[in-house]
Amino acid sequence: MNQILTIAKPSPPQPYPISSATLTRFFLTLLAVILSWGLSLESAVAGTLSDRVAQFPHWQTLPSLPAAQGDLTYPDWLAGNWTVTTTLVDLVAPLAPELTTPGFDSNRQYLNQPIVFQARFIPAVSPQSRPPFLSLPIQRQTLPAALIADRAFNGLNLANAYLKADQAQTESPILAVKVDPSNPNRQITFLRHDRQLVSTVTARATETPAPNHFITTELFQQEFRGIAQPYFNRVETTTDYHQLASEAQPHQPAIVADQITAIYLSPQDPHYFQAGDHPVALYRYRLEFHR
């Protein structure tokens, strides 16, 4: 979904060739939203994430975050089914012209173009909520269920929405989106011709400045498999969510969010030492959630 260095361009399979530019646009958009909606158990130092959002596009390095543990959980006002509109409102290549991502220029086609998809947030099944073997019903613990994203549903819908917006695509290359049952922070997108995008959240922090305001930052690694030379890179997504005061007006969103995705080179990239921990591409999105 995101890419900074040169991908080993796969030989186009027949009858469905996929250009590396198309894969870049798809991967960038997919990860920009799917892996970023969440309120985790970790908490950041007060104000640091708010400051980071305010400093866009002057981001100089990767943030220092605690390791991601468990699934992302969300504030209860995100529960249920949503029609989400995501719009790319700005994109910056801080190290251009020396370093840019292969898909940066092609992603300009999405600037100010709203993409609409369906998403949902559901209660998690907690091990503590299950009764012990052969226990009586009265012994069941009734802990409140955490709210999590339906990652497979959201990821597939978002990816297909972007591919639908790409007029060059006549058939979706996506077969399925699945979450590793043993690790909620690892997601696999299965593509045609034995290709896979593996995305793993490695670090995360959040802030809750007010009951209706929540910010999260995640770092994740992605690996594109199924080409001659597997491709790796690193992504940071920071999202600033606001629940609006009233949902009385049907044409107004119930929730809005400001989302920034930063792309970093991985150590496998030949230009890694030139870029260091400085982002090579920044994308800013406006998200609107409607019931």
Side-chain angles (χ1 to χ4, degrees):
M1 183 166 106
N2 327 353
Q3 190 173 304
I4 304 296
L5 32 156
T6 304
I7 279 190
K9 195 170 184 178
S11 300
Q14 298 296 330
Y16 186 68
I18 307 173
S19 69
S20 71
T22 296
L23 288 170
T24 296
R25 295 196 299 271
F26 159 54
F27 293 158
L28 172 64
T29 306
L30 179 63
L31 292 180
V33 180
I34 299 168
L35 295 179
S36 61
W37 294 350
L39 175 65
S40 69
L41 298 178
E42 300 89 349
S43 60
V45 177
T48 57
L49 300 188
S50 301
D51 293 343
R52 191 159 182 80
V53 172
Q55 290 166 1
F56 175 89
H58 305 293
W59 289 12
Q60 301 300 319
T61 188
L62 282 162
S64 179
L65 304 174
Q69 298 181 4
D71 205 348
L72 294 174
T73 61
Y74 297 73
D76 56 9
W77 37 268
L78 265 166
N81 299 316
W82 299 92
T83 295
V84 183
T85 300
T86 176
T87 306
L88 177 65
V89 296
D90 197 5
L91 66 168
V92 179
L95 302 182
E98 288 78 12
L99 289 178
T100 59
T101 66
F104 183 82
D105 288 335
S106 61
N107 281 323
R108 292 185 185 278
Q109 70 171 311
Y110 295 113
L111 190 63
N112 298 320
Q113 299 299 315
I115 303 294
V116 180
F117 67 101
Q118 302 299 309
R120 64 192 181 199
F121 296 81
I122 58 178
V125 178
S126 170
Q128 290 87 350
S129 67
R130 302 189 184 107
F133 183 64
L134 297 180
S135 65
L136 297 175
I138 195 172
Q139 295 176 308
R140 181 187 296 268
Q141 294 177 285
T142 56
L143 300 178
L147 187 70
I148 63 171
D150 188 337
R151 291 177 180 266
F153 177 87
N154 297 352
L156 185 60
N157 284 344
L158 176 61
N160 282 331
Y162 267 93
L163 289 168
K164 183 178 180 180
D166 188 340
Q167 299 301 320
Q169 296 300 309
T170 59
E171 181 185 16
S172 174
I174 307 165
L175 299 178
V177 178
K178 296 184 179 181
V179 177
D180 187 338
S182 64
N183 180 6
N185 291 313
R186 185 172 184 265
Q187 181 172 290
I188 305 175
T189 301
F190 295 89
L191 306 170
R192 296 181 186 275
H193 310 293
D194 296 322
R195 296 173 179 174
Q196 296 179 5
L197 172 68
V198 181
S199 305
T200 305
V201 180
T202 58
R204 169 189 311 136
T206 66
E207 288 176 6
T208 307
N212 65 339
H213 182 195
F214 129 79
I215 311 172
T216 182
T217 290
E218 289 185 307
L219 296 177
F220 51 93
Q221 296 178 341
Q222 60 181 9
E223 177 186 359
F224 183 52
R225 301 174 178 174
I227 56 178
Q229 180 179 350
Y231 171 75
F232 303 85
N233 74 352
R234 298 178 297 171
V235 179
E236 171 194 355
T237 301
T238 297
T239 313
D240 187 351
Y241 299 85
H242 292 264
Q243 181 190 30
L244 301 186
S246 173
E247 298 183 39
Q249 300 183 26
H251 299 297
Q252 298 298 317
I255 299 167
V256 295
D258 187 15
Q259 184 175 82
I260 302 166
T261 295
I263 314 301
Y264 301 84
L265 298 184
S266 73
Q268 292 87 353
D269 191 279
H271 300 291
Y272 171 74
F273 291 103
Q274 184 180 353
D277 286 337
H278 198 291
V280 294
L282 292 166
Y283 298 85
R284 190 167 196 164
Y285 298 86
R286 161 85 174 182
L287 305 178
E288 296 185 353
F289 295 72
H290 294 262
R291 287 291 181 189

